[in-house]
Amino acid sequence: VLVRFGERVKQGQRLLSVRSAAFADLDRELASAREAVAVKKRVLERVVDLVKLQAAPEKERFAAEAEVKEAELTLKAAQAKQASLSVSAEGDNLFWVTAPQAGTVVDLDVFASQEVGPDREKPLVRISNLEEVLVIGDMPERDASDLKPGVTAEIKTELGNVARTGTVERISEVVDPRRHTVEIRIRVQNEDRMLRPNAFVEVTPGVDESARYVRVPSEAVVTEGEKSVVFVQNAAQAMVRTPVTLGRARDGLVEVRSGLSLGTRYVSKGALLLLNQVDLAK
């Protein structure tokens, strides 16, 4: 095994060697198919000459032509079978598996002297082009309600030293039953390969400009049982609890999708202390 996990490889580069009698059988199959085509063509030429001399019926020429076509199809199948293998031969039963494309080894499940066969479920080596990656994000159900494919999303690494802008490509139509999140898939350009597979990143989808909501400081919203409430000033200048439906939270602000309208006066700080005082006064 000549490569390691995470290594960048070139197209045609040797990855690992395998000893197999089946590879020798494939060569013999290809050589036999070539020889069969040559023999059938010689037979056809002879039959054509006999037909011209009226020493053989016309139907023999048709039969010989059909046999040539069948032999050529067998040869093409043998050639396609060998061409589908990204390998280079070395000896009768040894061949090297080579990289079918340039990329990075993102999965390596093979070691020296290992026995492998066609019934294996996982590939020995997986190579990916990391110049473009897919970022998989989990969003709270409420946050994904107005998200649409095509909007942009900001991608940041945990350390914050790498930032990218990608495009939301797919939004799952199913909610994860355990985490109650919605999976989204974002396509991101990654020419410098700084976004590495299997790494954790922070995803911030862009806001749909057609859907505008009131946004208030996060500390203005308090939880009361299963409800979220905001203290709103009524006509009598008293503060009353108003149930609200929340949306996405970002940068210390949270969307209020219902229950609070523009121009309404509300408690923006100390709402939790106010709630506690109200509860104590009961």
Side-chain angles (χ1 to χ4, degrees):
V1 181
L2 300 183
V3 293
R4 294 292 178 266
F5 178 74
E7 181 178 339
R8 194 181 302 183
V9 297
K10 299 178 181 179
Q11 183 176 7
Q13 181 176 331
R14 289 182 170 184
L15 306 176
L16 54 98
S17 64
V18 179
R19 291 191 179 276
S20 172
F23 188 73
D25 293 339
L26 191 60
D27 273 346
R28 283 195 294 270
E29 181 183 342
L30 187 58
S32 177
R34 288 197 182 100
E35 182 62 25
V37 170
V39 171
K40 298 295 184 182
K41 285 184 176 180
R42 288 196 297 268
V43 171
L44 175 60
E45 292 173 358
R46 188 176 305 169
V47 171
V48 169
D49 291 339
L50 292 175
V51 170
K52 288 181 179 179
L53 296 172
Q54 296 184 351
E58 187 75 15
K59 65 179 182 179
E60 290 190 10
R61 180 174 68 84
F62 294 145
E65 289 176 345
E67 289 182 359
V68 169
K69 290 181 180 179
E70 183 178 355
E72 289 176 340
L73 289 174
T74 302
L75 175 60
K76 287 182 179 179
Q79 290 173 332
K81 187 185 297 185
Q82 191 175 65
S84 66
L85 303 174
S86 297
V87 300
S88 60
E90 186 175 296
D92 293 334
N93 66 343
L94 176 68
F95 64 91
W96 285 92
V97 178
T98 57
Q101 65 176 21
T104 303
V105 178
V106 296
D107 192 10
L108 185 66
D109 188 22
V110 63
F111 53 85
S113 301
Q114 180 180 0
E115 183 177 354
V116 297
D119 57 343
R120 181 185 175 88
E121 294 183 0
K122 288 185 61 178
L124 300 178
V125 184
R126 181 181 285 113
I127 298 173
S128 296
N129 182 358
L130 300 184
E131 292 185 358
E132 186 178 61
V133 296
L134 292 177
V135 175
I136 306 300
D138 289 327
M139 290 193 66
E141 182 181 358
R142 68 184 184 188
D143 293 352
S145 59
D146 61 350
L147 191 63
K148 298 178 181 179
V151 301
T152 59
E154 295 180 6
I155 312 297
K156 288 184 179 180
T157 58
E158 285 190 308
L159 296 178
N161 57 336
V162 179
R164 294 283 188 279
T165 300
T167 304
V168 176
E169 189 175 72
R170 186 184 67 84
I171 304 168
S172 175
E173 298 181 355
V174 179
V175 176
D176 187 295
R178 293 174 300 172
R179 295 177 293 177
H180 290 281
T181 56
V182 177
E183 182 182 280
I184 63 173
R185 186 173 69 186
I186 307 159
R187 187 173 296 274
V188 186
Q189 296 299 316
N190 188 41
E191 288 84 357
D192 58 1
R193 295 177 173 83
M194 292 302 292
L195 291 179
R196 294 180 168 86
N198 306 318
F200 285 103
V201 294
E202 180 182 338
V203 178
T204 307
V207 178
D208 184 3
E209 295 299 331
S210 63
R212 297 183 179 274
Y213 301 102
V214 174
R215 295 206 300 170
V216 301
S218 300
E219 58 184 311
V221 182
V222 292
T223 301
E224 187 177 33
E226 297 182 354
K227 299 185 299 182
S228 296
V229 298
V230 173
F231 283 92
V232 174
Q233 187 180 52
N234 61 13
Q237 305 298 312
M239 295 297 174
V240 295
R241 281 176 285 197
T242 303
V244 292
T245 301
L246 303 180
R248 284 176 284 189
R250 181 183 179 185
D251 299 331
L253 299 175
V254 62
E255 294 176 346
V256 179
R257 302 195 174 190
S258 65
L260 196 65
S261 58
L262 288 173
T264 302
R265 295 175 64 86
Y266 65 94
V267 176
S268 62
K269 292 183 179 182
L272 182 59
L273 294 175
L274 181 58
L275 177 65
N276 293 334
Q277 290 178 359
V278 170
D279 291 338
L280 291 173
K282 289 182 180 180

